[in-house]
Amino acid sequence: MSVEGFNPFKMAQQQFDAVAEKLGLDQATRDLLRYPDREYQFNIPIRMDDGTYRVFRGFRVQHSDARGPAKGGIRFHPQETIDTVRALAMWMTWKTAVVDIPLGGGKGGVVCDPHHLSLREQELICRGWVRQIVRNLGPLQDVPAPDVMTTSQHMIWMLDEYEKITGIKAPGFITGKPLGLGGSLGRTEATGYGVMYTVREALKFLGIDIKNTTASFQGFGNVSQYALDLYTQMGGKAIAVSSWDPKEQRAITFRKKDGINFKELISITNKFGEIDKSKAQELGFEILPGSAWIEQEVDILVPAALENQINKDTVQLIKPTVKIIAEGANGPTTPEADEVLKERKIHVIPDFLCNAGGVTCSYFEQVQCNMNYYWTKEEVLTKLDQKMTSAYHSVLELANNKGVYMRDAAYMIAISRVAEAVKLRGWV
Ligand code: NAD
């Protein structure tokens, strides 16, 4: 999805170029890593429920498979663009590298709006997407997963299509599957919980007791819901959450200054993570403009909706109380805004570290599928916590030792690992 005038791929390249320069990478490695290894763009023709035909545009980008099979989600969104998918594929490469799991980076998408599609139509899009690139996907090549507006139901349709075509059972083809059909316990919670494991560690580093903190969240989908839930369980007070209102076609911020009760908020939220405005009003929430989430006097901001949300304009709205920005979403902060955050010494937990819990758990899901033996939820979440905590501390240590910004430190670790892999393979 791209906002007019904003090109996420250019931003991803800009971030890469700056770190490549700092690391002194040779030109061939830079040329290799600043573009995807491969990308596919294709049509998915569907017979709609009313008998008419519509053609949907599908994408899959494999940025790098130097460290293992490409890995990354599939988004369904009406404003999906190839450049967004490219950027996200590249960020997946850095994400799998920074948490040190043996996978590469990929991403996919379909230009469509599930709000206006029946389940049957969505199933046909899923199956059509797989049919178009079946030869280039697989447990040992490229492993998709859910992302914005795709769920375990979409994943199982895709798996079923793949297994029908190949004639084998291959649950490791895709992750984010339903439980009992190769899914892993803890996967639903993984990204949001992972965000909060890193916030917990950041608060320890800053010497702040979580019980004395407040937070504001953008978005209330998969990532934000579990992040908010764990945050309040750990003793924090969430005071504001924003979400998209499909009726009014705008975002709304819902605020409760004395603290949001997760169970109450989830009970008035639909499956797209959209909060019901009139029910929220009945429950005593203040209704504020969509942009208000960022202007709250809180300790922690959690952008967990879209890219390009903290930019040169909105960064000015961030209150001096904010100490941590935990990037649940991919690409929420632009390089211009980063400069301001750096100057203000706000502790930013960069997206590809902060939200890496999802892909880490996806990796655990694949491992369990390969063993055909499944762990308990506690085992999964304990392993997840260990991975996230250790990745966070590696980045923090480098940031402190070299006196660099957290995002730069995370990039330095990730890009060095991928650069080393392409060198060892003899690609450049
Ligand atoms: P989701 O579709 O479950 O939820 C998206 C949320 O954002 C919804 O609450 C929606 O109402 C809200 N939203 C949409 N437009 C908005 C706007 N303009 N202003 C405010 N809120 C808006 O998506 P998700 O899976 O929670 O993903 C959120 C972000 O996290 C994305 O950037 C995604 O790429 C990233 N991410 C997701 C995962 C995962 O495992 N789900 C993993 C890593 C990163």
Side-chain angles (χ1 to χ4, degrees):
M1 292 156 279
S2 82
V3 178
E4 220 166 301
F6 167 72
N7 184 326
F9 184 48
K10 285 220 168 78
M11 174 172 130
Q13 287 186 317
Q14 206 177 329
Q15 292 170 338
F16 169 77
D17 290 342
V19 179
E21 191 61 35
K22 276 203 181 87
L23 290 172
L25 283 192
D26 61 277
Q27 194 56 46
T29 306
R30 290 186 198 202
D31 292 344
L32 187 74
L33 296 180
R34 74 192 301 280
Y35 283 98
D37 277 349
R38 283 171 294 277
E39 50 186 61
Y40 308 92
Q41 300 187 42
F42 43 87
N43 287 332
I44 309 171
I46 300 295
R47 192 157 75 91
M48 307 295 284
D49 291 350
D50 65 5
T52 60
Y53 283 86
R54 266 182 68 188
V55 180
F56 295 89
R57 198 73 185 143
F59 308 114
R60 185 71 183 171
V61 173
Q62 294 162 352
H63 172 260
S64 173
D65 54 12
R67 286 173 42 89
K71 181 87 193 77
I74 303 168
R75 297 176 150 204
F76 280 3
H77 198 278
Q79 270 97 46
E80 195 64 277
T81 68
I82 184 66
D83 273 335
T84 310
V85 182
R86 284 177 179 136
L88 291 163
M90 194 191 241
W91 287 323
M92 284 305 296
T93 303
W94 313 139
K95 197 179 291 192
T96 53
V98 83
V99 285
D100 205 9
I101 53 180
L103 296 167
K107 205 78 175 191
V110 178
V111 185
C112 70
D113 188 349
H115 289 94
H116 307 302
L117 295 165
S118 69
L119 284 179
R120 178 194 153 273
E121 290 163 345
Q122 292 181 45
E123 176 178 351
L124 292 179
I125 291 177
C126 289
R127 292 184 185 278
W129 190 91
V130 170
R131 278 199 302 277
Q132 285 290 28
I133 43 167
V134 67
R135 280 166 215 82
N136 308 100
L137 296 172
L140 304 176
Q141 286 167 281
D142 180 2
V143 184
D147 205 297
V148 174
M149 288 204 267
T150 54
T151 64
S152 58
Q153 176 62 74
H154 299 97
M155 299 304 108
I156 203 70
W157 284 326
M158 289 184 171
L159 174 68
D160 187 66
E161 190 67 21
Y162 180 83
E163 291 185 339
K164 275 194 176 125
I165 295 169
T166 56
I168 53 168
K169 291 288 167 201
F173 158 72
I174 208 158
T175 59
K177 299 181 294 294
L179 290 174
L181 277 171
S184 172
L185 288 163
R187 176 62 186 86
T188 321
E189 296 88 343
T191 309
Y193 276 18
V195 167
M196 274 308 140
Y197 295 148
T198 63
V199 168
R200 181 195 63 204
E201 296 306 305
L203 286 168
K204 273 189 215 159
F205 165 65
L206 296 172
I208 303 170
D209 183 347
I210 197 164
K211 295 194 177 70
N212 300 329
T213 64
T214 52
S216 173
F217 295 72
Q218 187 190 34
F220 199 54
N222 174 262
V223 178
S224 186
Q225 287 170 13
Y226 287 99
L228 190 148
D229 186 18
L230 186 58
Y231 175 65
T232 51
Q233 280 180 45
M234 293 192 300
K237 187 157 93 174
I239 64 149
V241 174
S242 73
S243 86
W244 185 251
D245 188 314
K247 278 192 224 134
E248 299 186 12
Q249 283 293 303
R250 66 182 181 110
I252 294 177
T253 301
F254 300 84
R255 186 169 70 180
K256 234 185 203 185
K257 278 192 167 164
D258 53 356
I260 292 170
N261 177 313
F262 169 72
K263 287 206 174 98
E264 187 179 79
L265 191 59
I266 198 81
S267 72
I268 56 164
T269 303
N270 71 11
K271 63 177 177 174
F272 297 109
E274 294 154 352
I275 301 164
D276 189 304
K277 186 175 139 189
S278 45
K279 287 184 187 154
Q281 269 167 323
E282 278 165 30
L283 290 171
F285 281 88
E286 288 174 75
I287 307 295
L288 304 172
S291 56
W293 75 278
I294 203 172
E295 302 175 31
Q296 300 305 308
E297 287 200 344
V298 288
D299 303 285
I300 304 162
L301 287 177
V302 185
L306 304 168
E307 60 273 17
N308 189 31
Q309 299 303 298
I310 306 179
N311 51 42
K312 68 175 177 9
D313 304 319
T314 58
V315 74
Q316 307 300 342
L317 304 173
I318 296 176
K319 293 280 188 281
T321 53
V322 173
K323 294 160 197 84
I324 294 175
I325 296 180
E327 296 183 335
N330 286 312
T333 307
T334 64
E336 293 91 344
D338 261 338
E339 291 309 313
V340 178
L341 300 176
K342 253 182 230 182
E343 225 167 80
R344 286 178 56 179
K345 299 210 170 1
I346 294 179
H347 188 81
V348 172
I349 310 172
D351 50 2
F352 62 98
L353 166 66
C354 190
N355 68 33
V359 73
T360 303
C361 195
S362 280
Y363 162 62
F364 293 156
E365 180 176 331
Q366 260 195 309
V367 170
Q368 294 169 81
C369 287
N370 293 344
M371 292 189 298
N372 207 6
Y373 176 77
Y374 293 83
W375 301 327
T376 62
K377 187 164 172 179
E378 203 191 341
E379 262 177 295
V380 174
L381 293 177
T382 305
K383 286 182 168 63
L384 180 68
D385 195 347
Q386 284 164 354
K387 254 312 189 197
M388 294 300 296
T389 300
S390 118
Y392 171 83
H393 282 287
S394 309
V395 172
L396 181 70
E397 199 181 306
L398 186 72
N400 288 342
N401 288 348
K402 298 243 179 219
V404 294
Y405 188 49
M406 282 289 281
R407 190 184 317 281
D408 293 341
Y411 264 121
M412 284 160 86
I413 291 177
I415 293 173
S416 305
R417 284 183 182 152
V418 182
E420 191 188 351
V422 298
K423 284 260 172 271
L424 286 171
R425 285 177 181 275
W427 289 355
V428 282

